[in-house]
Amino acid sequence: MKTNDYVRFLTQTFVEHFETPKEERNKNKQRLPVSYQLFGILPYSVKESVKMIRKRKN
């Protein structure tokens, strides 16, 4: 991807973001779990590892 294409993509994304009403942007936001907000991806990876281990045992 050339620099010009990247700048065009960023500009389009930026304009689309600010053209949408604020209420709609707030609706579209995904609410992350508190554990993910506080500790990042670590709790998620532990959770998925436990799932995989339990799946193998069955």
Side-chain angles (χ1 to χ4, degrees):
M1 188 179 230
K2 294 182 180 180
T3 306
N4 191 24
D5 295 335
Y6 186 68
V7 171
R8 183 181 304 136
F9 169 74
L10 286 177
T11 305
Q12 287 174 348
T13 306
F14 185 77
V15 169
E16 285 177 9
H17 175 76
F18 283 102
E19 283 182 345
T20 58
K22 188 172 184 175
E23 295 83 19
E24 189 175 330
R25 285 192 309 238
N26 287 340
K27 282 183 187 177
N28 292 338
K29 277 186 186 176
Q30 290 182 343
R31 184 75 177 148
L32 296 174
V34 175
S35 63
Y36 188 79
Q37 288 179 351
L38 295 177
F39 303 110
I41 199 161
L42 186 63
Y44 175 75
S45 61
V46 170
K47 178 181 154 187
E48 290 300 314
S49 298
V50 169
K51 275 187 188 178
M52 288 174 57
I53 292 171
R54 287 182 182 171
K55 198 174 197 180
R56 281 190 218 158
K57 286 183 179 181
N58 293 335

